[in-house]
Amino acid sequence: MIAKMPTIAAIAYKTAKGQPIMYPRNDLSLRDLLADTLSVATQFAVPSEEFLIDPVKARALEIILILHMDHEQNASTSTVRGAGSSQANPFACIASGIAALWGPAHGGANEAVLSMLEEIGTVDNIPEFLFRVKNKIGSQRLMGFGHRVYKTWDPRAEIMKETCDQVLHRLDKYDPLLDIAQKLEQIALNDEYFKSRNLYPNVDFYSGITLRALGIPRSMFTVLFAVARTVGWVAQWREMACEKTRICRPRQMYIGEMHRDVPQHVFPPQHWPEEDKSMISHAKSPGLNPTPSRLLGRTVSVKWNPNQHV
């Protein structure tokens, strides 16, 4: 499953674009194979020519995969474990993880960072944008900052930033979004508003720019995320299957209203008939404590008579 996922992702993209499918090469490593296969999706390779693997690009893609392989009990991983606890097969469990990752709040974070940088437009617009964020004007949010787990720097962000610089330098490619990102990071890290709220750059802040520099289309960002996270999903599923854990059943506590006044025309009062003692059932075994029973909508006690046989 881990080995086939990159091929499935690339073939799906090529099919959607109506382009010829390039089959994976058996002489490549998984990292180079993924770089070669996905390069087909970005039209770097054609069936009539051999595509040469750029080691810097391949290494950057490998780092992105490693950083996204597994990361605690996130939404998709918890979904995989929840589905696996019912003894569903691993293919169904991985599919459930993909469905959870499909949500933009989980798998679309790096896309949201690029959209935010494009919305800012230029470095000169950063102060105004941050002012709107801090004063909650409109729907502006600072994407790529903060994390549910890390209350300081995301350690993956530093590696991703270094990788991004290497890729842009290797390609000799100028990306205006990188200037905006670097300036935005500099201002935010020195702003007491963001520091007091522990809002520091996370891995998504630079991964989107790196993928964009590699030529990966934005529609494939979440797909690449799923390709990498499949390793973690399978590991989590296997760990859970080996431990023979019980089915996942989160506890839910009701904290709502204990009493509600319902209008009589919605639920008119019920008039129950008088209790018929002859209809009261008796316990069939001696030694039982009186237990409640439902009779005509009312709760009555069941009494056992040792002299009466049922």
Side-chain angles (χ1 to χ4, degrees):
M1 189 184 304
I2 295 172
K4 291 295 184 183
M5 193 64 76
T7 305
I8 293 172
I11 290 178
Y13 181 80
K14 293 293 285 183
T15 302
K17 292 297 183 180
Q19 299 172 358
I21 295 174
M22 297 288 289
Y23 289 98
R25 291 160 49 187
N26 294 333
D27 62 315
L28 298 177
S29 65
L30 177 61
R31 176 195 73 178
D32 293 338
L33 174 62
L34 182 57
D36 175 68
T37 308
L38 290 178
S39 68
V40 175
T42 54
Q43 303 180 36
F44 292 155
V46 292
S48 58
E49 298 177 7
E50 181 183 4
F51 178 76
L52 300 177
I53 304 297
D54 187 324
V56 175
K57 288 184 178 180
R59 176 57 180 166
L61 195 55
E62 182 180 38
I63 290 175
I64 292 175
L65 293 176
I66 292 173
L67 294 179
H68 289 84
M69 278 184 180
D70 195 25
H71 197 239
E72 214 185 40
Q73 287 302 306
N74 49 77
S76 57
T77 300
S78 298
T79 302
V80 170
R81 292 186 70 103
S85 70
S86 69
Q87 299 182 3
N89 68 69
F91 297 96
C93 296
I94 300 305
S96 70
I98 293 173
L101 191 65
W102 194 352
H106 185 18
N110 46 19
E111 293 182 61
V113 171
L114 287 182
S115 299
M116 176 192 70
L117 297 176
E118 291 174 347
E119 180 184 352
I120 295 174
T122 64
V123 174
D124 297 335
N125 294 333
I126 293 178
E128 179 184 355
F129 174 80
L130 292 179
F131 175 81
R132 296 175 66 86
V133 170
K134 291 189 288 186
N135 291 276
K136 297 180 174 58
I137 301 175
S139 59
Q140 274 79 7
R141 292 180 57 195
L142 186 60
M143 309 304 298
F145 279 72
H147 198 278
R148 291 279 296 274
V149 175
Y150 305 115
K151 301 308 178 185
T152 56
W153 266 80
D154 182 345
R156 303 170 300 169
E158 296 187 34
I159 301 174
M160 198 71 259
K161 179 180 180 180
E162 181 181 350
T163 303
C164 182
D165 292 337
Q166 292 175 355
V167 170
L168 294 175
H169 178 73
R170 176 69 175 83
L171 299 177
D172 194 18
K173 190 173 183 179
Y174 172 73
D175 192 339
L177 294 187
L178 182 60
D179 289 343
I180 300 174
Q182 291 176 332
K183 188 63 175 179
L184 180 62
E185 176 188 20
Q186 178 184 352
I187 296 176
L189 289 178
N190 291 282
D191 192 310
E192 189 59 34
Y193 177 89
F194 299 108
K195 291 170 62 178
S196 63
R197 289 164 173 78
N198 296 316
L199 295 176
Y200 299 93
N202 57 42
V203 69
D204 300 309
F205 190 68
Y206 282 102
S207 63
I209 300 176
T210 307
L211 290 172
R212 171 172 156 150
L214 291 174
I216 306 297
R218 197 174 300 188
S219 61
M220 292 290 290
F221 284 9
T222 306
V223 179
L224 260 183
F225 197 163
V227 170
R229 189 54 60 86
T230 299
V231 179
W233 290 335
V234 172
Q236 295 269 356
W237 175 86
R238 193 171 186 276
E239 177 188 65
M240 180 201 60
C242 292
E243 293 177 350
K244 297 181 180 180
T245 57
R246 299 173 62 184
I247 188 170
C248 179
R249 185 63 169 86
R251 185 181 181 187
Q252 185 178 33
M253 299 183 65
Y254 178 75
I255 57 173
E257 297 290 339
M258 299 304 297
H259 175 76
R260 289 190 177 94
D261 294 325
V262 182
Q264 290 191 4
H265 70 278
V266 176
F267 190 73
Q270 303 294 318
H271 301 284
W272 302 103
E274 293 294 329
E275 180 180 309
D276 186 355
K277 296 183 178 180
S278 64
M279 295 180 63
I280 300 178
S281 60
H282 298 275
K284 296 183 180 181
S285 301
L288 294 179
N289 293 327
T291 57
S293 174
R294 287 287 177 181
L295 178 64
L296 298 178
R298 300 177 63 189
T299 302
V300 298
S301 297
V302 177
K303 297 181 180 180
W304 175 68
N305 184 352
N307 298 322
Q308 183 175 354
H309 298 284
V310 179

